[in-house]
Amino acid sequence: MKGVRHYPGFLAATIACLLILYVPLMVIAVYSFNGSTSITKWSGFSLRWYADVFTGPEAERFGLATWNSLSIAIIAATVSTMIATAAALAMIRGGSFRGRQATYALINLPLMVPEIVVAVATLIFFTTIGLTTGYMTILLAHVTFCIPFAYLPIAARLTGIEPTYEQAARDLYATRGQAFRLVLLPLLGPGLVSGWLLAFIISLDDFIITNFVKGAGMETLPTAIFGSVKQGIKPNIMAISTLMLGVSILFVSLSYLVNRRGRTAA
């Protein structure tokens, strides 16, 4: 049976998709090192726009937005990883129970629903219960949509761990808590790290949901970039975008490598 790679046009379609996806990113990265104020004409290599990010007139604004993004991403990734771990234990180690399939669908619902729909629904919910939009509403929204991203690598890792390890610990008079803390949790470590990293970068990069629930005067780095771009694309925005792209690639790569190493060790 022929693989999909052997179908006519597959290679051309793949190359076209890769070019459409990655050429604009490469152009932004290259022109972030342009010495000119022009965003289209190359005038020589320079790091002036990276220096402008940290020392320029908009440095304070972007610095505060970066702090908001980082703090929200760290907290959201940590909380969502804890919830995802509990969900994975219930789904995989909890046996059969009524509503298991519905629970699985509910966990993964944010992955299937368009992000704009989630954003509108979240804003309506916060408004209905009387929450003032701001830092806390962004954090709650991020925790919610980060759960499935943390759940997938954790559940995949947990599925590959045989229950016999925990059973052996129980046979040696370990309590259920000790079996989890001393046996299962270390084995689950690569999945936890991978899930946390993935949830972190998803939270850090989110714009649509954040823009709906952030409220006036509250900015994260993606919304600050969007606000600056509305006034015109400037070279320092390309520098910030390139830095964010680099961080995203780093964390996604780390998540993949940690998860892969965990599967190999298992």
Side-chain angles (χ1 to χ4, degrees), residues 15-203:
I15 294 174
C17 290
L18 291 175
L19 290 175
I20 292 171
L21 285 172
Y22 294 111
V23 167
L25 298 179
M26 294 173 62
V27 170
I28 288 176
V30 169
Y31 272 90
S32 68
F33 296 99
N34 187 12
S36 170
T37 56
S38 172
I39 61 172
T40 58
K41 294 181 180 180
W42 181 262
S43 64
F45 181 87
S46 175
L47 296 175
R48 62 178 293 192
W49 302 116
Y50 287 89
D52 184 83
V53 169
F54 298 100
T55 61
E58 294 184 292
E60 183 177 354
R61 177 193 174 198
F62 284 122
L64 179 59
T66 301
W67 168 251
N68 290 335
S69 288
L70 287 174
S71 60
I72 289 171
I74 291 171
I75 298 172
T78 303
V79 175
S80 62
T81 300
M82 294 170 63
I83 296 173
T85 302
L89 289 170
M91 295 295 293
I92 297 170
R93 290 290 195 263
S96 299
F97 56 90
R98 180 180 296 181
R100 189 174 185 275
Q101 294 300 322
T103 303
Y104 180 79
L106 188 62
I107 293 172
N108 291 281
L109 190 63
L111 296 175
M112 299 179 285
V113 177
E115 195 170 1
I116 186 68
V117 176
V118 176
V120 173
T122 304
L123 177 60
I124 292 173
F125 173 74
F126 288 151
T127 303
T128 302
I129 65 176
L131 274 181
T132 303
T133 52
Y135 188 96
M136 186 56 63
T137 54
I138 297 176
L139 180 59
L140 291 173
H142 282 218
V143 168
T144 301
F145 71 72
C146 281
I147 290 174
F149 293 97
Y151 174 85
L152 291 177
I154 293 172
R157 175 63 178 164
L158 186 59
T159 302
I161 300 174
E162 294 292 335
T164 50
Y165 294 106
E166 301 149 80
Q167 293 168 4
R170 296 297 303 278
D171 289 341
L172 294 172
Y173 305 104
T175 64
R176 189 179 296 273
Q178 288 173 329
F180 171 75
R181 179 169 53 87
L182 300 176
V183 178
L184 184 58
L185 195 59
L187 292 173
L188 198 56
L192 295 174
V193 174
S194 180
W196 189 93
L197 290 171
L198 193 56
F200 175 86
I201 202 61
I202 291 296
S203 173

